[in-house]
Amino acid sequence: MAAPLRSLCSTALKHYCRSFSSTSCTPAGQIWRESFGLPSKGSEYGPLTDLPDWSYADGRPAPPMKGQVRRQQQREAFARRVVALNSEVDAGMQQWQDKKDAEVQAEEHRKYLILKPKGNHKLKKK
């Protein structure tokens, strides 16, 4: 009676213990690539993903693949967004500078409008 129960328990433990793992979920080389400023995955960008896989024998380039066209469109959209945000920052800086100049000019105008002492009062201070 004890032997069949023991074999049943050992069989059950074999099936349930296989799925346990104590390793990290980091893909191989990800930390090393990120520490050197490279993409976390080896296929995000670079010559293996950006250059065509083949060309015609007479030297003509191959037509671009779907992934290459998609990545090019993403890069163009990103560049457009960068230019738009840069122009917004430039406009904001110009607006800030104009406001600062207007404040300085208003302060100078306020000082100009202040009443000034007249007569011998200036001569006595010297």
Side-chain angles (χ1 to χ4, degrees):
M1 177 81 174
L5 183 60
R6 186 178 304 155
S7 65
L8 178 67
C9 288
S10 65
T11 306
L13 285 175
K14 286 180 187 175
H15 291 295
Y16 289 117
C17 292
R18 282 189 212 169
S19 63
F20 180 74
S21 175
S22 63
T23 60
S24 67
C25 297
T26 306
Q30 178 180 1
I31 296 171
W32 180 85
R33 284 193 294 268
E34 288 176 351
S35 68
F36 284 95
L38 299 172
S40 60
K41 297 176 187 169
S43 62
E44 287 181 10
Y45 61 84
L48 294 178
T49 54
D50 295 336
L51 296 178
D53 292 336
W54 57 277
S55 64
Y56 292 103
D58 60 358
R60 291 181 294 153
M65 295 182 287
K66 290 179 187 177
Q68 290 173 328
V69 172
R70 178 183 42 83
R71 283 188 295 276
Q72 183 179 9
Q73 290 172 348
Q74 286 175 344
R75 289 180 187 135
E76 288 175 6
F78 181 74
R80 284 191 186 97
R81 181 164 165 77
V82 166
V83 169
L85 292 175
N86 191 26
S87 65
E88 286 181 19
V89 168
D90 290 343
M93 290 298 291
Q94 184 64 40
Q95 185 179 12
W96 175 77
Q97 187 65 38
D98 293 344
K99 184 179 177 182
K100 189 175 173 185
D101 292 343
E103 288 175 359
V104 169
Q105 188 176 7
E107 180 66 24
E108 289 175 1
H109 184 66
R110 188 184 64 78
K111 287 181 181 178
Y112 175 75
L113 292 178
I114 293 176
L115 294 176
K116 294 161 187 74
K118 307 253 183 196
N120 293 336
H121 185 268
K122 287 185 177 180
L123 296 175
K124 290 180 185 176
K125 287 188 176 182
K126 289 183 180 181

